[in-house]
Amino acid sequence: MPQSGSELETPVRVRFAPSPTGYPHLGNIRTALFNWLFARRYGGKFILRIEDTDVARKVEGAVEMILDSLRWLELDWDESPYFQSQRLDIYREVADRLLNGNDAYLCYCSPERLEAMRQEQIKHKQPPKYDGRCRHLTQQQKTELRAQAITPVVRFRTPLDGETSFQDLIRGRVSFQNSTLDDFVLLKSDGYPTYHLANVVDDNLMAISHVLRADEWLSSTPRHMLIYQALNWDAPHFAHLPMILGPDRSKLSKRHGATNIMEYREQGYLPEAMINFLALLGWSLDDRTELLTRQELVRNFSLERISKTAAVFNKEKLEWMNGVYLRQLSPDEFVQRATPFLDRDLPLSIERPLHSDYVRQVMSLIQERAKTLAEVPRLCDFFFMDELQYEASLLLSRGLSSESAVEAVKTSLRRLEVTEVWDAESLEEMLRPLATELNLSTAKFFGLLRVAITGRSAAPPLFQTMAVLDRGKCLKRLTTALDRLSALTQAQNK
Ligand code: GLU
């Protein structure tokens, strides 16, 4: 019975159904991506449904954040987002149907009683579970309770024995003893449905063919199956996606770095790298392929290749992948993507707007080296600054004496003042032999120049850097280095 391959017998309709109880994290978006890929692979529909029925846990701005994340990653949805909070009548009607069919009952237990019961169960090391008190109320008790003006909740009448099982497209047959499931709530006293009721009703009404969702919902699925059975509805196919663990094999959390997906944008990850990376958290094409474009993913995505075991989040891999995607951009594209980060993070003392030709030249030296766009300003700020801040002692690394350094900088200044052509090639032609003349290794000599010109010991290739910076700036920086060296020598001689 192929349910997950190309011979699907139903049109594919999948949904991403986040609850706006927090900002979307990697796991949520991985779920969205797998659903989106599955829909696109089989020419189906990808539906976005906001499950906002937990009023107390609603987080301000979460819906916008969810939509922004999906838009950033271009996970476009086919039907306007549904909001469960706007569909309350529908759930109430279904709850009534379940009540009328005796598959549900009204429960009048107070929150205090439920809490006391829970504490008692925890104390006796029993799993917390409703004790079924209102399941067997007599007609008279019901009448009395109704008279007390308590708003009841609606609970599902879970079979006391037997088991509920279903075929999971990833895990195979999954069974639960009904005795372990309690009479869960369907409709709360505030009139809002619980996740279980609203989720099942909407999956049915929205004709969802496949539910691809995180592993953590697996234990909810038998409850959902029971509701489907009670309503005489066909259940969709289920596929529970493997967990995502941190490198230390604990559940992925803040400790392992950014969890909110939009933080990755802030940190300068490209959406195309993010998509590639997320796709491989629990899915693979084969045992080797790491780099796949969005089109390749759509063409090849299948449930069969989703792994049963947990995926491990590897930040270094994400950085590496992002670097690959950054290098693949055309120079213009790179400039365009990096510019907002330069504007945001270059020191405020640098005048804006930045000169676009100059930015383009600088970026041509940075593109190869950046792993994220957020690194770009740090890698190139010295190109834009008037004054470089660095410790004078940095000029004397690799055991260079201050006398040799002073002589080397002075000679370089004299030669650079008169050199005719100012490009990387000519600069190299001139400066390489100068090292020999000065009796210095190129490592020492170029190291000294690099610090003088960039203020740091690691930077893009020296001669190209000097060429972009232009003669005026380079001479000025060498003069400043000379002053710093003199000050250092004086201080040492005191
Ligand atoms: N609202 C649930 C969530 O936040 C949906 C789970 C499901 O897909 O059924 O993830």
Side-chain angles (χ1 to χ4, degrees), residues 15-21 28 31 35 49-52 84 195 199 203 211-214 216-217 224 238:
R15 76 327 189 255
F16 175 49
S19 301
T21 51
N28 299 131
T31 299
N35 277 287
R49 184 171 81 218
I50 307 294
E51 301 206 325
D52 54 350
Q84 288 188 327
Y195 155 68
N199 192 268
D203 280 348
V211 170
L212 276 50
R213 65 181 167 204
E216 63 188 287
W217 302 104
H224 299 179
F238 290 99

Side-chain angles (χ1 to χ4, degrees), residues 75 148 265 376:
L75 300 179
Q148 290 176 23
R265 177 161 86 169
V376 171

Side-chain angles (χ1 to χ4, degrees), residues 174-189:
V174 182
S175 301
F176 287 83
Q177 293 299 322
N178 291 335
S179 57
T180 63
L181 317 166
D182 65 351
D183 288 351
F184 53 93
V185 176
L186 296 168
L187 207 62
K188 295 176 276 186
S189 52

